[in-house]
Amino acid sequence: MDTQSEVITQALDWLDQAGHIALGWLVSPAAWSQFALLALAYLLARVMAGRLSAALTKLLTPKADAQGLFATARRFALPFLALLLPLIAYALTATGESLTRTMFGSGEVIAFGKRVFLFLAARALVSHVITDPFLHLLGKYVLIPVAALYALGLLDQITLALAETRVELGNIQFSALSLIRGVIAGSLLFWLGSWSNRQSASYIKAKQELRPATRELAVKATEIVIFGVAFLLLMSIMGIDLTAIALLGGALGVGIGLGLQQIAANFISGIILLVEGQTTVGDYVELDGGEKGTIVKMTARACVLETFDGKWIVVPNEHFITSRVINYSDQGSANRYQAEFSVSYDTDINRVPALIEAAVAALPFVLQHPDGPDCELDGFGESSVDFVLEYWVNGIDDGLNKYRSHVLFAIWNALKAEGIEMPFPQRVVHLRPAPAA
């Protein structure tokens, strides 16, 4: 209750002071002359802003299909024309204030008008220039109120009151002003960090000459540096002693050692994967547990595999380090597969290898290097002679491209064209006569 009474009393005092100042201005001839100068400065600013705005709009507006850095810069500058009127009025009023103080020794009214024009510039900036949702929110609830308090001449008093209000969190002590300033600065810093991280990630990922693993490592290293610097700057702005952060870091280290060792292991494993580059985004892998899929994302904790049926499997990074992983893409995109088929015992099997190799080699996706199609005799079955065809392709079989299906069609068509039978299982049954009674 005492605190509320003090606030109310202070507010009433401010209102009383404002009333006395306004009454003094109303009965003072010097104040009326300064009001006239303010009105003159505003009218002159409107005329100048109108002419400058028309000329600058024509100069800054690019063609509709214009691209490139210069066109982007012109489009970025166009909304700032909304600031011309209040800024020109502010500049004219500042000049008038210096002349008034020199000639008459007073200039409170014109100084108040100058601050009002600065407030109008802040409103125009938030309303017409800032388009980012977060910055617009920050401008609406922080910048405009601060500009209003400055225009009313209350900013210094409120700042002093907040600076004298102390906030204690354990051994850490800071003022309410530092807390508010830290929240605002932290919001700006981490927004800027997120924006910088997005821009740097886009720039790094566009460098196709770098290996995918190198690009991912550079993106994550940049992210850590950006947000690490933002955090340290925030601590400095809030006035928090960094030795307290060192103690917090020691406690965090103990926590990692005791309860977060799996998270730490996965994080370190992710760094090892990125540094080695043996497994990266876009690789098709098969894990020891039977999981198969293409790596579509690598995070600090896990890798995300996308299977051919569209499912996502989240695999902790540690599994890629401590277990066996088959990477079908690591040594290049060429992979060897095989297709089995059989012919009847009535076939001249000496003709089969050349026939099948020629038919499969004609398929556009089958490679001749490192080796062309190779048809080999696999064995003699109960009802057929068994062959196996080995072939090389670019990509993963039985997935998006389904090479095996095309190869089997080619084998079938080649055998049918030559009249070679692909037998089905057969049995010979001997009926023995019953023994004589």
Side-chain angles (χ1 to χ4, degrees):
M1 294 295 296
D2 293 340
T3 304
Q4 293 180 357
S5 300
E6 291 177 4
V7 172
I8 294 173
T9 303
Q10 185 68 40
L12 292 175
D13 289 342
W14 287 340
L15 290 175
D16 185 59
Q17 293 175 16
H20 282 88
I21 293 173
L23 183 62
W25 287 352
L26 289 176
V27 298
S28 171
W32 279 105
S33 64
Q34 292 178 46
F35 278 120
L37 285 175
L38 281 175
L40 179 62
Y42 177 75
L43 293 174
L44 184 58
R46 282 191 67 88
V47 174
M48 295 175 64
R51 295 185 177 181
L52 275 175
S53 179
L56 291 175
T57 300
K58 184 177 179 180
L59 177 65
L60 293 175
T61 303
K63 295 181 180 179
D65 58 346
Q67 300 294 331
L69 182 61
F70 185 61
T72 303
R74 291 168 70 184
R75 291 190 182 95
F76 176 77
L78 269 174
F80 285 90
L81 297 181
L83 302 179
L84 280 177
L85 175 59
L87 290 181
I88 292 175
Y90 177 84
L92 294 175
T93 308
T95 304
E97 180 190 9
S98 62
L99 292 176
T100 302
R101 291 190 182 278
T102 302
M103 296 174 62
F104 303 106
S106 64
E108 288 78 9
V109 175
I110 202 166
F112 172 74
K114 182 182 70 172
R115 297 195 299 269
V116 170
F117 287 134
L118 191 60
F119 167 75
L120 294 176
R123 278 194 61 189
L125 178 67
V126 174
S127 302
H128 302 289
V129 179
I130 298 177
T131 57
D132 182 84
F134 172 76
L135 292 182
H136 183 80
L137 188 68
L138 202 63
K140 183 177 180 181
Y141 293 103
V142 176
L143 179 61
I144 290 180
V146 169
L149 291 175
Y150 175 71
L152 295 173
L154 301 176
L155 184 61
D156 291 340
Q157 299 179 45
I158 293 177
T159 301
L160 181 60
L162 291 174
E164 293 175 348
T165 304
R166 310 303 297 177
V167 178
E168 294 185 4
L169 294 176
N171 294 329
I172 302 177
Q173 186 182 73
F174 46 84
S175 65
L177 179 63
S178 297
L179 180 61
I180 296 173
R181 187 169 55 191
V183 171
I184 297 172
S187 302
L188 281 173
L189 283 173
F190 282 94
W191 175 87
L192 182 61
S194 300
W195 180 84
S196 302
N197 185 52
R198 291 193 300 269
Q199 298 300 315
S200 60
S202 300
Y203 176 78
I204 293 171
K205 290 180 179 179
K207 297 295 183 180
Q208 297 299 322
E209 63 271 15
L210 298 177
R211 297 181 68 236
T214 305
R215 292 199 298 267
E216 290 293 329
L217 180 61
V219 167
K220 292 188 181 299
T222 304
E223 181 179 3
I224 292 172
V225 170
I226 288 175
F227 285 103
V229 171
F231 178 75
L232 293 177
L233 286 175
L234 177 60
M235 294 299 102
S236 178
I237 290 172
M238 292 186 65
I240 296 177
D241 190 359
L242 293 182
T243 55
I245 305 300
L247 295 176
L248 179 62
L252 182 62
V254 174
I256 290 175
L258 295 177
L260 304 178
Q261 51 185 339
Q262 288 298 321
I263 296 177
N266 286 319
F267 179 76
I268 295 172
S269 298
I271 295 176
I272 293 174
L273 289 175
L274 292 174
V275 171
E276 289 185 346
Q278 294 180 359
T279 303
T280 186
V281 174
D283 286 354
Y284 182 81
V285 298
E286 178 181 354
L287 302 182
D288 224 6
E291 300 91 347
K292 296 181 182 179
T294 302
I295 300 177
V296 295
K297 188 176 182 181
M298 298 180 71
T299 67
R301 187 189 68 84
C303 293
V304 179
L305 307 185
E306 183 177 12
T307 63
F308 286 124
D309 54 0
K311 296 183 176 65
W312 277 24
I313 303 174
V314 180
V315 182
N317 291 328
E318 186 182 10
H319 290 196
F320 286 86
I321 301 297
T322 59
S323 62
R324 185 175 64 94
V325 178
I326 300 175
N327 191 338
Y328 292 92
S329 309
D330 186 53
Q331 295 299 327
S333 57
N335 294 283
R336 192 188 72 173
Y337 296 96
Q338 64 183 33
E340 300 82 10
F341 65 96
S342 301
V343 299
S344 69
Y345 275 99
D346 296 333
T347 305
D348 181 5
I349 63 174
N350 296 295
R351 298 169 49 208
V352 172
L355 175 66
I356 298 303
E357 289 172 1
V360 175
L363 296 175
F365 56 82
V366 175
L367 303 178
Q368 299 301 317
H369 301 284
D371 195 8
D374 182 20
C375 183
E376 300 175 352
L377 180 63
D378 191 43
F380 300 100
E382 294 182 0
S383 305
S384 62
V385 181
D386 301 327
F387 287 87
V388 61
L389 172 74
E390 297 175 348
Y391 60 96
W392 289 78
V393 295
N394 273 326
I396 308 301
D397 202 359
D398 290 336
L400 298 176
N401 301 298
K402 297 185 177 178
Y403 299 119
R404 180 179 172 83
S405 175
H406 296 290
V407 170
L408 292 176
F409 268 110
I411 294 173
W412 173 272
N413 293 332
L415 294 178
K416 284 296 181 181
E418 294 296 323
I420 299 175
E421 179 186 0
M422 300 181 70
F424 49 85
Q426 302 177 32
R427 293 291 184 272
V428 177
V429 179
H430 296 277
L431 298 178
R432 301 180 64 180

